[in-house]
Amino acid sequence: MSVLLEEKRKDECINSIDNNLECLDHFTKDVVLGVDKTKLCSFAVALEGWRRGLELKWYTKDAEEFKDFIVFGVNPPGRLFSLSSNERTHYFFRTRGDKVSNLAVEICADKDETKNWLERAGVPVPFGRRFDETSSDEEIILSAEMIGFPLVLKPTNGSLGEGVITNIRSAEELAESLVYVRQQLGYSNVIMEQFIPGEEYRVYVVDGKVIAAYNRIPSHVIGDGRHTIDQLIELKNEERKVNPRLASCLIEKDQEVKTYIKRFGYSYDSVPSAGEEVFLLEKSNVSSGGDPVDYTDKMPEVIKDVAIKAVNAIPGLIHGGVDIIVNGDIGVVIELNPTAQIGGSLFPVEGQARDIPKAIIDYYFPETVDSEKTSFYFDLKKVLQPLYSRIALEVKVSPPPSGKVYAKRFVLQGEFPELKYHMWLRKRVFEHGLNGYAKTLANGSLEIIIAGTDKDVIGEFKSVFAEPQDRAVIDKVEEYEWDRAVKIGFDITAIQYKVNLEKVLKQKNKEIEKLSKQLTKSEKVEQKLEKQLQRMQRSRVWRMTLPLRTCATTIKRLIRPRKPV
């Protein structure tokens, strides 16, 4: 196939996905541009509160306010924030607020402990067994017969689906999986449990109510009779880049995928027939290439009740995600996540988007439920810059203008000196107390969006274009109503302006990025060493040798030569 036809197919796929992507009216792709991964979740909840008039602050992980808050991972800025009303302040780590207890977080961080609590509450869970670092691979393989194939192997403390191997059908496959999970990934403590056939769902519960549910379809491609699996993955990834949630979760062509498709007689060079569905992994995590399909209204009440019962089984777990395998009217809970990502419900590949941030803020700040909400939003990257550059431990976001938002779209045709006219226009917008942007379109026209809370000012702004400007000739002004969200400030997207600005910022961003990477690398190394130390201290060998080490320390002190007086 020619490169031209290949690009045409790619564009058609992207346009199709883009047009069919159903977003919340107030939380669209434009609002989250450049916000990805777990920052997307944090931003969604924080923005919902800020739009209601709550005071919003962002923090680094070193902030005093979060010293007793359990967080996992390195967590660069954009994950920790607080929201305050006149009556209360609440702190959040991504989607998890401070009403979720530390005990709940600790229980859910250990998959085996989670199962114990769920079993005691009568919640269906898979039968299985835990093995620590003292258990050999041979011992685990022998125990597999007691549980019965097919099996699932997963770390006791893994996240985002890392190290989870499902539908293991033989001792040979189990042996390979153990090498991968325990040796290559470094998860020595694992759980082996029965494989439950069925479809997997992520259900999000807030205060005893199911707010959203979506089917997590495992990573897959659909053949067309022309492209190899390798090429189909590339095309699928182009489609995923259009979706704000999936853009940071592209399908990886790694050893795990290669091994899985080999089971079914495929390789990366195989060419599936038209319409043939080829699954690349058994696990369905969105972070591993899975597709979220909204299922909230279709989910049977009996399954929703299982999810609610599972959350209620953990003390202090007020809200969070429940992963359930569903087979008919039977639901088996496989995991609970108090800090669950919610992007799959905000940007499903099919179905209706669900407003989880609204439910969270309604619960934490009931006094704001009926408050008027602005359609403005802020630039998260700019707000977090002081935290990334380490010149502050916290930043406060300026409140949005109060009152109903009015907006207009103007399209100017004519000739005007790009940079000079844009800068003059920005000045006039700010003088009128407005927000918006100016963008040079492909045909040379200038698109201008303005928004504010004074309807008269918005209505009269058109007269600004009649003001004489050096070398500017405006032939025509088209005026339209604008009902989309508008970012605070006034951005300029002009070719010359962009080039000049990028030259200035590029070097600064490189320097900041370099320093940030060095600090992140150091933090990762420190965290890894800390985990290794904790594992060693929890091991049976460490506990058994405690008397010997204590004795050795005492002897060293006794025989240490004294310094001359």
Side-chain angles (χ1 to χ4, degrees):
M1 178 177 285
S2 69
V3 174
L4 186 61
L5 288 174
E6 188 75 32
E7 289 301 319
K8 183 180 178 182
R9 171 188 158 87
K10 187 185 294 184
D11 290 341
E12 288 173 351
C13 289
I14 291 172
N15 290 334
S16 174
I17 296 293
D18 199 15
N19 293 334
N20 293 327
L21 186 61
E22 294 185 25
C23 307
L24 297 170
D25 292 338
H26 58 280
F27 201 69
T28 62
K29 285 172 52 183
D30 293 338
V31 173
V32 299
L33 190 64
V35 181
D36 58 9
K37 299 182 180 178
T38 51
K39 277 196 299 186
L40 176 65
C41 304
S42 309
F43 184 51
V45 178
L47 182 63
E48 175 68 22
W50 179 82
R51 280 174 158 170
R52 298 190 192 189
L54 297 174
E55 181 185 85
L56 170 61
K57 291 182 180 180
W58 294 93
Y59 303 84
T60 68
K61 67 183 184 64
D62 304 313
E64 180 70 16
E65 289 83 351
F66 288 88
K67 65 178 182 179
D68 297 323
F69 220 79
I70 296 179
V71 298
F72 300 104
V74 175
N75 290 303
R79 279 79 175 172
L80 300 166
F81 62 95
S82 68
L83 290 165
S84 303
S85 67
N86 292 331
E87 300 175 30
R88 70 195 88 232
T89 294
H90 288 294
Y91 296 91
F92 295 83
F93 169 51
R94 288 156 43 181
T95 57
R96 169 169 43 98
D98 54 17
K99 287 195 173 186
V100 176
S101 70
N102 281 346
L103 175 60
V105 178
E106 290 171 350
I107 292 172
C108 293
D110 188 320
K111 293 180 175 62
D112 192 50
E113 187 66 12
T114 303
K115 285 180 66 175
N116 292 337
W117 281 87
L118 292 176
E119 282 182 311
R120 286 196 290 268
V123 177
V125 295
F127 172 67
R129 182 182 165 190
R130 175 179 180 152
F131 300 89
D132 63 21
E133 66 274 9
T134 63
S135 301
S136 67
D137 288 359
E138 291 74 17
E139 179 186 343
I140 297 174
I141 293 170
L142 287 173
S143 300
E145 295 299 331
M146 179 183 68
I147 299 173
F149 291 102
L151 295 166
V152 175
L153 182 72
K154 56 187 177 183
T156 58
N157 59 345
S159 61
L160 302 176
E162 185 180 42
V164 178
I165 311 295
T166 64
N167 200 12
I168 300 169
R169 300 172 299 177
S170 66
E172 291 74 19
E173 289 182 8
L174 177 57
E176 291 178 6
S177 300
L178 287 167
V179 170
Y180 175 68
V181 175
R182 304 188 89 197
Q183 295 182 24
Q184 295 182 28
L185 297 182
Y187 292 110
S188 54
N189 296 329
V190 296
I191 293 174
M192 186 169 61
E193 60 189 21
Q194 63 184 143
F195 172 75
I196 306 295
E199 293 189 319
E200 186 173 338
Y201 295 85
R202 162 63 61 85
V203 185
Y204 200 89
V205 176
V206 180
D207 191 27
K209 295 182 284 293
V210 169
I211 306 302
Y214 62 84
N215 183 200
R216 303 198 305 191
I217 301 175
S219 176
H220 67 284
V221 293
I222 298 176
D224 58 9
R226 294 171 295 169
H227 291 83
T228 65
I229 290 178
D230 184 272
Q231 293 168 330
L232 289 170
I233 291 174
E234 291 295 327
L235 291 170
K236 183 72 176 283
N237 279 338
E238 291 300 323
E239 295 174 6
R240 291 177 76 84
K241 289 176 183 177
V242 177
N243 185 300
R245 170 64 182 103
L246 308 184
S248 58
C249 303
L250 302 182
I251 300 171
E252 293 187 20
K253 293 180 286 187
D254 55 17
Q255 184 61 42
E256 192 173 349
V257 171
K258 184 178 179 180
T259 301
Y260 184 79
I261 63 176
K262 186 180 177 181
R263 289 186 189 177
F264 306 97
Y266 295 106
S267 72
Y268 283 132
D269 295 326
S270 300
V271 179
S273 58
E276 183 180 355
E277 193 172 44
V278 179
F279 283 93
L280 308 173
L281 288 172
E282 187 84 38
K283 62 187 176 185
S284 59
N285 302 69
V286 172
S287 55
S288 300
D291 289 343
V293 175
D294 178 62
Y295 200 73
T296 310
D297 296 332
K298 298 177 183 178
M299 177 164 280
E301 289 300 320
V302 65
I303 303 300
K304 290 182 179 179
D305 289 342
V306 171
I308 294 169
K309 190 175 181 180
V311 171
N312 291 340
I314 309 300
L317 185 59
I318 308 300
H319 59 97
V322 186
D323 293 342
I324 303 180
I325 299 290
V326 176
N327 196 332
D329 287 336
I330 299 174
V332 178
V333 176
I334 57 174
E335 192 169 341
L336 293 178
N337 193 335
T339 321
Q341 294 201 46
I342 59 175
S345 290
L346 295 172
F347 297 101
V349 296
E350 291 179 31
Q352 182 181 337
R354 303 292 170 169
D355 203 345
I356 295 176
K358 178 184 182 303
I360 293 174
I361 299 302
D362 283 353
Y363 176 71
Y364 279 85
F365 296 94
E367 67 272 24
T368 68
V369 169
D370 297 322
S371 62
E372 188 175 9
K373 189 165 65 175
T374 184
S375 59
F376 283 117
Y377 66 99
F378 58 88
D379 189 324
L380 181 62
K381 189 178 291 186
K382 288 181 181 177
V383 166
L384 297 179
Q385 198 59 51
L387 303 184
Y388 272 108
S389 59
R390 307 285 176 144
I391 64 175
L393 294 180
E394 66 177 65
V395 290
K396 178 181 173 182
V397 183
S398 299
S402 59
K404 181 178 173 59
V405 178
Y406 302 92
K408 292 276 188 179
R409 174 179 180 255
F410 298 98
V411 178
L412 277 57
Q413 297 178 13
E415 297 179 8
F416 28 81
E418 194 174 68
L419 180 58
K420 186 175 181 179
Y421 189 79
H422 283 75
M423 297 305 291
W424 172 82
L425 184 62
R426 169 186 263 181
K427 181 182 177 184
R428 298 296 284 125
V429 168
F430 286 156
E431 285 173 351
H432 283 74
L434 302 175
N435 300 271
Y437 69 80
K439 178 181 179 181
T440 304
L441 303 179
N443 63 2
S445 299
L446 182 63
E447 179 185 56
I448 300 165
I449 305 296
I450 58 163
T453 55
D454 191 320
K455 188 175 182 180
D456 293 336
V457 173
I458 295 292
E460 297 167 1
F461 190 81
K462 187 176 181 180
S463 62
V464 169
F465 304 129
E467 297 177 12
Q469 276 300 300
D470 183 32
R471 294 189 294 123
V473 178
I474 299 176
D475 300 324
K476 184 179 180 181
V477 178
E478 299 175 6
E479 182 179 347
Y480 307 91
E481 295 297 322
W482 187 258
D483 59 359
R484 301 181 195 174
V486 177
K487 184 164 63 176
I488 291 292
F490 192 80
D491 287 343
I492 298 174
T493 308
I495 298 171
Q496 187 58 47
Y497 178 78
K498 188 177 180 181
V499 169
N500 291 342
L501 185 63
E502 284 181 351
K503 282 181 181 178
V504 176
L505 295 178
K506 194 172 184 180
Q507 188 59 37
K508 296 293 181 186
N509 286 337
K510 276 185 177 179
E511 293 172 6
I512 292 171
E513 231 175 89
K514 187 177 179 181
L515 287 170
S516 183
K517 282 181 179 178
Q518 289 173 348
L519 287 165
T520 300
K521 188 176 180 180
S522 299
E523 289 169 347
K524 283 183 177 178
V525 171
E526 183 182 346
Q527 192 176 54
K528 188 175 181 180
L529 291 172
E530 180 66 26
K531 280 186 177 179
Q532 289 176 349
L533 178 61
Q534 289 175 357
R535 286 176 187 166
M536 184 173 66
Q537 290 174 338
R538 290 197 301 266
S539 70
R540 187 181 301 171
V541 174
W542 180 269
R543 294 193 297 268
M544 290 173 62
T545 57
L546 178 60
L548 183 61
R549 285 184 282 106
T550 304
C551 182
T553 303
T554 304
I555 293 171
K556 283 181 181 179
R557 288 174 180 168
L558 291 173
I559 64 175
R560 183 184 301 160
R562 296 185 178 182
K563 292 182 180 180
V565 179

